[in-house]
């Protein structure tokens, strides 16, 4: 009988909150440079909390690897994209006397780079992840992955979304079949057609709203007040369609992830995932409500404190009506100090803007990312644990340039 290994999650929200807040503050004060070390520290914390069979995952990446990879990628991309952008803009003006076409072509060209960057980022993360002392790895195939992804994306667009589940399955299979745990290659089983049924509600939402909008436009085309009717009804159907598509696509992603996980194998080892869509939906809805409420409260508190400090240093502000929101009722200079109130207002607004994003990032880690990881881990088990002893260590994969291109494109969240 196959040995079943359960996964535990040992993380706590308090340490996550303290670590997220401290690293976010350092990132702001270093003008963003510390984010490479912030991501490394957060990953180490989250990886260590996930413990299959009681043994924690290890993340051994370094912030300096991400930073140097980012600098290299930034220089390369600046040269390539800069030269390409100049050529495209020149050609667009010569042929069309405007630059819209140049930006359209540039956006299409950027898509393969996004897939290329995401694959290289995964390769680096796998190369720096260990369990039971055994390294993970992903074969170098970023260029081919980008071409395959573009082909599947084109097929999905031509089929009006019908082939989207096929793209989901094929891209996951491309990555999984090139993934190693030690010397054991992983394999993605299953069929892409099994993902078609959970994706149908997404198509119905999108197609239904589009068809309904077309019928409304056609039905009232000759009406005396056709324009007002169309303007009133079309946004309603578009909103309903988008809301339904977002709901059902979230469900599809959870179902697809669960199905793909349950059909992954590594020799005699398999996975069992019991992901729950209602749980994930509740985590996201409740988490983002808490995130926004906590962000608003923290930003208001910091804004009020900053306002008091400003009034203490510039007493003239109290007569100009500056409050915690940073609003100034007069644009004249401030008393003896001669500090223009308009400049203080701009500085205060930028300060609150940065503080808001800082707190949102911190509370999102605590109320959304953290419970999502906990649910993913606690619903995952391994089968065939007796085969783990047969897996041997593999050589270290350098995974040069780390996540440089992905960082340059700002792909992904903090971890």
């Amino acid at each position: 009988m196959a040995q079943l290994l359960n996964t535990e999650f040992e993380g706590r929200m308090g340490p996550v909150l303290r670590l997220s807040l401290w690293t976010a503050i350092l990132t702001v004060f270093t003008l963003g440079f510390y984010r490479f070390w912030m991501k490394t520290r957060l990953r180490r914390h989250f990886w260590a909390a996930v413990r299959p069979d009681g043994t924690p995952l290890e993340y051994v990446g370094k912030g300096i690897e991400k930073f140097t990879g980012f600098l290299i990628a930034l220089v390369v991309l600046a040269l390539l994209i800069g030269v390409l952008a100049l050529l495209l803009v020149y050609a667009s003006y010569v042929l069309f006397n405007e630059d819209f076409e140049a930006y359209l072509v540039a956006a299409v060209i950027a898509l393969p780079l996004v897939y290329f960057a995401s694959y290289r980022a995964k390769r680096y993360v796998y190369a720096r992840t260990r369990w039971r002392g055994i390294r993970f790895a992903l074969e170098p195939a970023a260029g081919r992955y980008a071409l395959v992804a573009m082909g599947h994306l084109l097929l999905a667009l031509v089929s009006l979304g019908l082939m989207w589940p096929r793209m989901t399955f094929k891209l996951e299979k491309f990555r999984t079949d090139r993934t190693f745990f030690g010397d054991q290659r992983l394999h993605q089983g299953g069929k892409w057609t099994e993902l078609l049924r959970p994706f149908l509600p997404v198509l119905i939402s999108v197609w239904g709203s589009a068809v309904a909008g077309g019928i409304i436009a056609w039905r009232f085309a000759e009406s005396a007040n056709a324009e007002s009717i169309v303007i009133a009804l079309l946004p309603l159907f578009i909103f309903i369609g988008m809301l339904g598509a977002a709901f059902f696509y979230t469900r599809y992603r959870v179902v697809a992830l669960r199905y793909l996980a349950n059909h992954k194998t590594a020799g005699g080892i398999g996975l069992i995932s019991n992901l729950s869509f209602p749980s994930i939906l509740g985590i996201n809805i409740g988490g983002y409500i808490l995130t926004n409420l906590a962000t608003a409260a923290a930003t208001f508190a910091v804004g009020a404190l900053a306002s008091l400090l400003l009034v203490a240093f510039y007493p003239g502000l109290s007569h100009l009506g500056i409050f915690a929101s940073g609003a100034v009722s007069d644009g004249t200079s401030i008393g003896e100090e001669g500090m223009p109130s308009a400049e203080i207002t701009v500085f205060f607004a930028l300060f609150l803007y940065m503080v808001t994003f800082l707190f949102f990032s911190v509370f999102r880690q605590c109320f959304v990312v953290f419970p999502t990881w906990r649910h993913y881990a606690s619903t995952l088990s391994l089968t065939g644990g007796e085969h783990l002893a047969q897996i041997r260590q593999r050589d270290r994969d350098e995974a040069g340039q780390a996540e440089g291109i992905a960082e340059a494109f700002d792909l992904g969240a903090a971890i």
Side-chain angles (χ1 to χ4, degrees):
M1 184 176 179
Q3 183 181 357
L4 182 66
L5 307 179
N6 294 321
T7 303
E8 303 170 356
F9 189 83
E10 297 295 334
R12 291 179 296 148
M13 189 171 293
V16 173
L17 176 60
R18 290 193 295 270
L19 179 61
S20 299
L21 183 60
W22 174 242
T23 54
I25 291 173
L26 290 177
T27 300
V28 170
F29 276 100
T30 57
L31 302 179
F33 283 100
Y34 191 77
R35 71 175 178 140
F36 306 101
W37 286 265
M38 175 188 72
K39 183 178 292 187
T40 298
R41 294 180 64 180
L42 285 171
R43 278 181 181 166
R44 287 176 181 170
H45 188 88
F46 275 85
W47 262 239
V50 179
R51 303 186 176 188
D53 194 32
T55 304
L57 295 175
E58 296 178 79
Y59 180 73
V60 294
K62 298 179 180 179
I64 191 64
E65 293 176 333
K66 296 179 180 59
F67 179 63
T68 55
F70 169 75
L71 292 180
I72 295 172
L74 201 61
V75 172
V76 174
L77 287 175
L79 291 175
L80 291 178
I81 295 179
V83 172
L84 182 61
L86 288 175
L87 293 175
L88 288 175
V89 170
Y90 174 76
S92 182
Y93 272 113
V94 170
L95 296 175
F96 307 103
N97 293 323
E98 58 182 22
D99 58 358
F100 173 77
E101 289 77 7
Y103 294 120
L104 183 62
V105 173
V108 173
I109 293 176
L111 273 176
L113 288 177
V114 171
Y115 285 114
F116 180 88
S118 67
Y119 187 92
R120 286 180 64 93
K122 289 181 185 297
R123 184 180 171 220
Y124 171 77
V125 172
Y126 289 3
R128 298 297 182 267
T129 299
R130 300 185 305 196
W131 181 55
R132 295 164 60 102
I134 304 295
R135 302 185 185 97
F136 288 85
L138 181 63
E139 289 182 345
R144 185 180 172 190
Y145 177 77
L147 293 176
V148 171
M150 289 302 296
H152 285 296
L153 179 61
L154 179 61
L155 181 61
L157 293 176
V158 170
S159 65
L160 299 180
L162 191 62
M163 292 292 104
W164 192 274
R166 186 175 187 271
M167 181 177 72
T168 301
F169 180 84
K170 293 294 184 180
L171 293 185
E172 182 66 22
K173 182 173 177 60
F174 186 99
R175 293 189 299 264
T176 301
D177 290 352
R178 288 162 178 77
T179 301
F180 286 83
F181 176 56
D183 60 354
Q184 181 65 62
R185 182 188 292 269
L186 274 66
H187 172 69
Q188 179 64 62
K191 299 178 181 179
W192 75 268
T193 51
E194 295 296 322
L195 301 180
L196 188 57
R197 187 170 64 176
F199 190 72
L200 285 179
V202 182
L203 293 178
I204 292 173
S205 298
V206 176
W207 291 352
S209 60
V211 171
I215 292 175
I216 291 172
W218 169 75
R219 175 67 178 79
F220 297 99
E222 299 179 359
S223 176
N225 55 346
E227 184 175 349
S228 60
I229 294 175
V230 172
I231 291 176
L233 293 180
L234 270 183
L236 177 62
F237 279 96
I238 292 175
F239 173 76
I240 293 175
M242 291 179 62
L243 188 63
F247 174 84
F248 289 117
Y249 187 74
T250 302
R251 177 180 177 274
Y252 164 74
R253 291 299 302 168
V254 174
V255 173
L257 183 60
R258 184 174 62 219
Y259 175 82
L260 293 169
N262 286 330
H263 288 80
K264 282 181 170 63
T265 56
I269 304 170
L271 296 177
I272 298 177
S273 174
N274 293 306
L275 277 179
S276 168
F277 168 66
S279 297
I280 294 297
L281 184 64
I283 288 171
N284 279 270
I285 294 177
Y288 277 109
I289 290 175
L290 288 174
T291 296
N292 284 284
L293 290 176
T295 299
T299 302
F300 178 81
V302 171
L305 178 61
S307 297
L308 293 176
L309 292 175
L310 280 175
V311 170
F313 281 101
Y314 299 100
L317 283 172
S318 60
H319 302 293
L320 294 175
I322 185 167
F323 300 96
S325 63
V328 177
S329 59
D330 192 351
T332 59
S333 297
I334 298 175
E336 299 176 357
E337 291 84 356
M339 175 68 73
S341 61
E343 292 183 6
I344 293 183
T345 303
V346 172
F347 171 80
F348 198 79
L350 289 175
F351 170 75
L352 285 184
Y353 178 79
M354 294 185 65
V355 165
T356 300
F357 274 93
L358 183 150
F359 281 127
F360 183 85
S361 174
V362 168
F363 292 124
R364 179 179 174 274
Q365 291 284 350
C366 297
F367 300 132
V368 179
V369 178
F370 176 80
T372 299
W373 270 67
R374 181 171 54 197
H375 179 70
Y376 278 25
S378 60
T379 56
L380 184 67
S381 302
L382 283 77
T383 62
E386 67 275 10
H387 297 284
L388 287 171
Q390 303 171 7
I391 298 177
R392 297 292 177 263
Q393 183 64 287
R394 64 180 292 108
D395 293 336
R396 187 174 187 269
D397 183 0
E398 292 298 332
Q401 298 185 24
E403 301 163 274
I405 300 179
E407 293 282 3
F409 279 106
D410 196 21
L411 299 177
I415 60 171

